[in-house]
Amino acid sequence: MIKHIEYPFTEEKIRGLRVGDKVSLSGRVCTGRDRLHHFLVKGGKCPVSLRDGAMYHCGPVVMREGDQWVVRAAGPTTSIREEPYMARLIETLGLRVIVGKGGMGEATRMACRDHGCVYLQAVGGAAALLASCIERVDGVHFLAEFGSTEAMWEFHLRDLVAVVTMDARGHSLHRTVERRTRKTLKDLLSE
Amino acid sequence: MKKAHWEKNLVELIRRTSTDLPADVEQAIRKGLRREKKGTNAHDFLSMMLENAAMARRDSVPLCQDTGTLTFRFTVPTGFDTNGLASITRNAVSKATRLGYLRQNTIDSVSGEPYVTNVAHAAPVMEFLQGARKTVDARLIMKGGGCENVGRQYSLPDVALGADRDLEGVRRCVLDAVWQAQGRGCSPGVIAVCIGGDRAKGYAYAKEQFLRKLGERSDVKVLARLEDRLMRDIRHMEIGPMGLGGKTTALAVKIGSLSRLPASFFVSVSYMCWAFRRRGVLLGPEGGVHRWLY
């Protein structure tokens, strides 16, 4: 069964999600990757409120067509690079949802638990499919400073499908798989 | 050299590489899908990968937004003007970027400034070889940063892995690299390995293995056997698509070997994501298409 969640993502809704839940995400999300995270943690001002909001780890391919932005490709980027910054941003900005790929580490897992946030794993590389879930582009920030890939894009989504892999109860599917496969690796190496 | 012909067909090579997943890769994903149970994350994610491939092909949009490092490998006839071809290739990359087949994906490492055309020193990467044919064999691989970041190089012996300077040692390195990568290289991936060489050529030769079709086994018997064994081992790990568990962790393992110095024994492992972008074309002396490869 798929759970639909829509912006604004209230703490109650988010705390109701469990690792393994398949969700379909709609409404506003903002992209952010290496430069934005670094900028915000160093005290840069966030141009839009992310309270009860979602951050998408993504550097899209966006084209200007006439007076419109058209998103051609928008899959998730590897989230672990933002691990040094994520916990702090969850706390200070009031983020409730992170969408990315590959999972995140202990600091983020704790921040999700303490502040009520979830991490959603989208299908890495599925850029065409995920771009088709973007109904429109509502704005862009830091385009000149960071370039198109690293800019902060405001997307309005319709039914982006992902899986909860870190929930607000401190569970992480990434950690579970890593631990289980470590055992198998050990067995394979003792053959 | 008719520049316009060459440029047009090289842009087409980039377009196809970026938007059209090769048939052997798609087949391998389909095979994985048949192994997974319906309703699992593994099944869902593999299905979405196939859906994405169909959509990218239909709409002529990038399979993955990280359009990666572009590595061109040209095999040209004797006396061919490689400087001219290099310059046309750079123009083709710049044009493909303007057309949205490539993301603005190249950054100055010192200033942090983007190169908006994707053309910079050593970007795109171009290699020129001399061949016996009258045609130019042009091959392109696009490899994103996510999977590039999980590549690893080992220097044997490695005490922690219990890896000696033999094929069992190589096997241990590859299993460790796949485990360390988890889903972060966008599994199911293709694992390319080079045994030997120096550090630079080790990675480069591992990546050359990506030019082989997925079904093609090594023609060195012991390496072919090791490829098969590693496929079985990796399946047991159950890291699964995107690291969420499942039977499909690797689509293929490809191993090559180079000579080495007595003092060095490197094992270089390069990881290619499932969105494996590899295309090629044979171009005539005027830049016309003889035949598409793969």
Side-chain angles (χ1 to χ4, degrees):
Chain A
M1 215 201 40
I2 196 156
K3 293 186 173 172
H4 293 270
I5 54 171
E6 187 155 359
Y7 176 79
F9 309 103
T10 59
E11 181 163 9
E12 192 195 350
K13 262 194 270 182
I14 292 309
R15 290 214 179 260
L17 296 173
R18 300 270 196 292
V19 155
D21 283 349
K22 200 169 160 186
V23 296
S24 146
L25 191 72
S26 297
R28 195 181 81 168
V29 307
C30 293
T31 68
R33 41 181 296 155
D34 311 74
R35 289 204 58 181
L36 182 77
H37 282 72
H38 188 253
F39 170 83
L40 294 175
V41 161
K42 294 285 168 202
K45 195 174 170 327
C46 191
V48 288
S49 168
L50 291 176
R51 190 146 302 281
D52 294 335
M55 170 84 88
Y56 184 17
H57 292 157
C58 169
V61 180
V62 187
M63 307 288 290
R64 190 76 178 167
E65 289 180 10
D67 58 353
Q68 298 217 60
W69 293 110
V70 178
V71 184
R72 287 173 64 89
T77 190
T78 308
S79 300
I80 196 72
R81 293 194 311 269
E82 317 314 338
E83 182 62 15
Y85 319 114
M86 203 74 254
R88 180 105 180 266
L89 295 186
I90 290 170
E91 186 183 350
T92 55
L93 301 176
L95 278 166
R96 295 271 175 229
V97 176
I98 300 154
V99 187
K101 76 171 171 86
M104 300 194 74
E106 285 304 286
T108 304
R109 186 172 70 85
M110 294 303 168
C112 283
R113 189 193 62 185
D114 296 346
H115 304 289
C117 179
V118 289
Y119 178 87
L120 307 181
Q121 163 97 35
V123 187
L129 182 70
L130 295 170
S132 74
C133 304
I134 299 166
E135 280 192 331
R136 54 172 204 272
V137 177
D138 286 334
V140 57
H141 310 275
F142 309 114
L143 183 59
E145 298 93 317
F146 297 168
S148 162
T149 302
E150 297 269 350
M152 184 185 199
W153 294 91
E154 278 181 58
F155 290 155
H156 190 90
L157 299 183
R158 175 62 53 202
D159 294 331
L160 184 143
V161 173
V163 174
V164 179
T165 53
M166 295 166 75
D167 63 21
R169 307 172 161 240
H171 297 299
S172 161
L173 181 57
H174 306 283
R175 202 166 72 131
T176 309
V177 172
E178 196 167 312
R179 286 183 171 178
R180 180 168 51 67
T181 55
R182 182 188 284 136
K183 273 191 204 136
T184 322
L185 176 70
K186 247 186 166 172
D187 292 346
L188 286 167
L189 294 187
S190 63
E191 268 177 24
Chain B
M1 208 187 257
K2 284 192 180 162
K3 275 195 181 170
H5 265 174
W6 283 94
E7 188 181 300
K8 177 175 141 262
N9 286 324
L10 287 174
V11 170
E12 176 61 11
L13 174 63
I14 297 167
R15 187 194 71 79
R16 288 189 187 213
T17 311
S18 180
T19 65
D20 190 357
L21 192 70
D24 56 335
V25 179
E26 196 165 339
Q27 257 167 29
I29 298 173
R30 253 179 236 292
K31 203 170 145 192
L33 183 68
R34 284 196 293 271
R35 264 198 302 268
E36 305 289 354
K37 242 207 254 155
K38 265 195 188 160
T40 57
N41 288 331
H43 193 277
D44 283 354
F45 274 34
L46 290 174
S47 305
M48 286 192 272
M49 288 168 191
L50 290 168
E51 197 183 334
N52 181 66
M55 201 178 259
R57 187 176 292 133
R58 185 194 70 201
D59 298 342
S60 200
V61 295
L63 275 161
C64 175
Q65 75 291 337
D66 186 354
T67 52
T69 298
L70 277 72
T71 304
F72 287 91
R73 187 177 215 251
F74 295 108
T75 309
V76 304
T78 312
F80 190 86
D81 174 15
T82 53
N83 284 340
L85 184 55
S87 144
I88 292 167
T89 304
R90 282 190 283 266
N91 287 341
V93 166
S94 159
K95 190 164 181 191
T97 308
R98 279 200 305 279
L99 292 170
Y101 302 133
L102 300 176
R103 180 172 74 177
Q104 286 178 13
N105 216 27
T106 310
I107 293 170
D108 188 283
S109 299
V110 178
S111 71
E113 292 299 309
Y115 290 95
V116 294
T117 60
N118 282 320
V119 176
H121 178 62
V125 178
M126 286 180 271
E127 299 164 357
F128 295 94
L129 302 170
Q130 195 184 297
R133 278 198 279 214
K134 287 206 170 71
T135 49
V136 170
D137 179 317
R139 295 180 193 227
L140 171 59
I141 286 179
M142 291 167 47
K143 188 171 188 296
C147 66
E148 184 67 3
N149 288 348
V150 300
R152 275 173 186 266
Q153 194 167 53
Y154 300 83
S155 174
L156 300 190
D158 184 309
V159 178
L161 288 175
D164 299 318
R165 292 180 158 194
D166 53 23
L167 291 184
E168 171 56 21
V170 174
R171 172 179 167 264
R172 285 163 180 261
C173 295
V174 177
L175 291 176
D176 180 68
V178 171
W179 181 76
Q180 299 275 358
Q182 292 289 311
R184 287 184 286 274
C186 283
S187 48
V190 176
I191 320 300
V193 183
C194 173
I195 308 170
D198 70 350
R199 286 191 185 271
K201 191 64 191 173
Y203 269 131
Y205 196 65
K207 288 184 178 189
E208 262 186 66
Q209 307 304 313
F210 292 132
L211 293 169
R212 288 163 56 191
K213 280 200 181 174
L214 298 198
E216 201 183 297
R217 296 175 81 222
S218 168
D219 44 23
V220 181
K221 255 192 196 153
V222 286
L223 297 187
R225 274 205 295 276
L226 184 57
E227 290 176 355
D228 294 345
R229 166 113 199 257
L230 277 164
M231 275 305 282
R232 286 199 301 276
D233 288 346
I234 292 168
R235 197 169 305 148
H236 280 304
M237 277 212 246
E238 304 218 339
I239 291 169
M242 298 309 298
L244 303 188
K247 297 182 176 68
T248 319
T249 304
L251 300 176
V253 176
K254 301 278 163 212
I255 307 174
S257 81
L258 294 174
S259 62
R260 61 178 177 86
L261 298 180
S264 301
F265 194 119
F266 295 113
V267 176
S268 309
V269 182
S270 185
Y271 195 110
M272 178 65 90
C273 59
W274 70 263
F276 183 160
R277 286 150 290 169
R278 167 220 320 117
R279 288 277 162 194
V281 64
L282 296 180
L283 297 168
E286 299 300 321
V289 174
H290 270 225
R291 184 158 62 83
W292 291 96
L293 307 168
Y294 299 111

